[in-house]
Amino acid sequence: MRRRHWGWGNEDDPIGEGAAEIAAHLGFGSAGLEEPAPLRVDHDRALHAHGASYLDVVRGLRGDLAALPDLVLHPRDEPEVLRALERAEAENLSVTPYGGGTSVVGGVDPVRGSGHDGALSLDLSGLDRVLEVDPVSRAARIQAGATGPRIERQLAEHGMTLRFFPQSFERSTLGGWIATRAGGHFATGPTHIDDLVESVRAITPRGDVWESRRLPASGAGPSPDRLLLGSEGTLAVITEAWVRVRPRDEPRWSARVELDDFGRGLELIREIVQSGLRPSNCRLIDGHEAVLTFAGRKALLFLGFEGDLSGVETVRRLCPDLTEGGGGAWREAFLRAPYLRDTLVAMGVFTETFETAVTWDRLRPLIHTVKAAVPASVVTCRITHAYPDGAAPYFTVLTPARRGDEEAQFAEIKCAASDAVLAAGGTITHHHAVGRMHRPWYDRQRPEPFAAALRAAKAALDPASRLNPGVLLDT
């Protein structure tokens, strides 16, 4: 099945099911769907012309593919990656590494850099194998283009799992997770891909191999892995990595708690994580999101443990009104949400998400400030990840789209939300990466000496500024 060139789903997936019910539930949106513009260019180039942000879906729906790559290459191994980079140099092309195309921040747009004669999209999905498993150390060497399902199917043959489930799990890739410092579904403990990486291998634009040593930890200077984590395709093309895996089919426990007060849920989460417990799921949704998702009319706290269930009794004492079970239904709705967005966009519904992280002392003021600042009909909040010193609030915005003026509407909402997040002490992104959409706020957040060091690294590794121009820094 081919993926839609403009949205998240496949071409054969139905779109518009339940549109009338959704419109009635929201109180806005049209039950009549906008028809996608006919595709007038090669499907492969159209698919690689954008990522998966709200604006990407709107533009693709209307046939606005202004960032079409001049060339798409699909290498199957490292020698072919090297040949692709040599071709880009010979033809003076910019190079955008492309995994699953799931970036929601403009991170995979095939942009020509200043002085380049064209743009090449380098699709790494052909590098999709688990190459080696070390059962003693519980680690696996995996190629960067492998998607979540591909990784899990191959690790299952060895009785192992990576157990890394971002919302984009079905389409995103290991290389993309590393390049964007992605966050998985675990709410506490090892939840970022950073926690799972043992070593990384990459190819620079000059053809040099960048490979770190496999180690459980090291104090030998700045880590070569850390510079690639979050590099967003600007320094080198990630080709494979050793990652930490774990046994499959560990015991699991899940529950949900209904709460009259969202603030009480925040206190429960803080009490749980500061007590030393590390639940796999510890997510809180406010009452507005519960209503929108047909989950109820109160705030809901979802709890879960995997592997070590010793914390269950403590959680039962803290939450005597919990109802056991229900985690599977939540996870299925979580993974289906991107597919629903295709329908919402075609209905004329503006739908956008953004997230941040902040310390506990500033969490409530940040949530209040952001909700008040965003000009939209509905702004919901959920807590997706929790730490002893803070948490990650995740916001969903729904409002009638200004048909034909979505670009300006997006800019208004994005700027208002991002300004409010930084002003309240949060980070511009907890796990969605920087891309091009977050650049103005990322530039304000990072220390200038670090920015200078990053520019120097870029100049040393990619003197022609060929890799992903405009992401993370100007070139």
Side-chain angles (χ1 to χ4, degrees), residues 66-419:
L68 271 174
D70 298 286
L71 183 66
V72 180
L73 293 181
H74 297 261
R76 294 160 293 186
D77 52 31
E78 276 193 2
E80 290 192 352
V81 171
L82 183 57
R83 286 172 54 195
L85 292 172
E86 290 171 346
R87 181 169 180 180
E89 182 176 10
E91 300 187 22
N92 192 30
L93 307 175
S94 64
V95 178
T96 301
Y98 183 100
T102 59
S103 171
V104 294
V105 292
V108 296
D109 299 0
V111 172
R112 296 186 186 190
S114 175
H116 295 136
D117 296 326
L120 185 161
S121 181
L122 187 62
D123 188 317
L124 297 161
S125 59
L127 283 72
D128 65 350
R129 290 176 295 137
V130 173
L131 300 173
E132 190 176 352
V133 174
D134 173 359
V136 176
S137 307
R138 290 188 177 177
R141 182 164 67 99
I142 305 174
Q143 290 181 305
T147 62
R150 285 281 297 170
I151 291 170
E152 290 302 316
R153 282 196 296 268
Q154 294 177 75
L155 287 178
E157 298 173 5
H158 302 270
M160 295 290 181
T161 176
L162 183 58
R163 195 83 88 208
F164 186 78
F165 298 109
Q167 193 170 30
S168 59
F169 169 79
E170 292 179 276
R171 301 199 183 279
S172 56
T173 64
L174 175 63
W177 301 340
I178 293 171
T180 60
R181 297 184 68 191
H185 84 295
F186 280 119
T188 68
T191 182
H192 289 272
I193 197 65
D194 309 40
D195 306 315
L196 303 177
V197 167
E198 195 175 68
S199 72
V200 183
R201 181 178 171 93
I203 308 295
T204 73
R206 291 174 161 177
D208 297 321
V209 176
W210 178 332
E211 183 173 18
S212 61
R213 180 171 296 190
R214 277 189 67 201
L215 294 168
S218 174
S223 166
D225 294 331
R226 300 304 109 175
L227 192 56
L228 288 175
L229 281 156
S231 59
E232 301 196 25
T234 60
L235 301 178
V237 178
I238 297 168
T239 58
E240 64 181 61
W242 276 94
V243 291
R244 299 175 177 99
V245 296
R246 55 195 292 176
R248 296 179 63 84
D249 302 322
E250 294 183 324
R252 302 180 187 181
W253 176 90
S254 64
R256 56 182 275 170
V257 186
E258 287 193 3
L259 299 161
D260 292 322
D261 178 37
F262 184 76
R264 173 57 184 152
L266 296 178
E267 289 304 310
L268 277 173
I269 291 176
R270 185 169 68 87
E271 190 172 356
I272 288 169
V273 295
Q274 289 185 348
S275 70
L277 297 180
R278 293 294 177 265
S280 58
N281 196 11
C282 191
R283 296 181 183 233
L284 174 69
I285 67 173
D286 65 16
H288 298 295
E289 182 162 333
V291 170
L292 285 174
T293 56
F294 300 93
R297 307 195 68 84
K298 295 183 177 181
L300 292 171
L301 174 60
F302 294 94
L303 295 165
F305 286 88
E306 296 187 22
D308 181 6
L309 305 186
S310 61
V312 170
E313 288 306 316
T314 301
V315 166
R316 284 183 176 137
R317 289 196 299 271
L318 291 173
C319 310
D321 297 329
L322 64 78
T323 301
E324 297 197 18
W330 170 84
R331 184 174 291 124
E332 180 64 22
F334 175 72
L335 293 174
R336 292 298 304 173
Y339 293 89
L340 175 61
R341 190 184 57 175
D342 288 359
T343 295
L344 291 173
V345 170
M347 289 174 58
V349 174
F350 180 103
T351 170
E352 174 65 349
T353 61
F354 56 94
E355 35 68 66
T356 182
V358 73
T359 52
W360 284 113
D361 59 312
R362 293 178 289 183
L363 178 59
R364 289 200 198 198
L366 181 144
I367 293 172
H368 175 77
T369 299
V370 170
K371 281 191 169 187
V374 176
S377 301
V378 178
V379 183
T380 71
C381 179
R382 66 177 179 266
I383 302 300
T384 61
H385 298 78
Y387 309 91
D389 56 341
Y394 189 109
F395 299 89
T396 298
V397 177
L398 294 165
T399 201
R402 300 201 307 248
R403 294 284 182 101
D405 193 37
E406 287 94 344
E407 301 262 355
Q409 184 179 20
F410 179 86
E412 291 170 12
I413 290 175
K414 190 71 174 177
C415 289
S418 300
D419 287 345

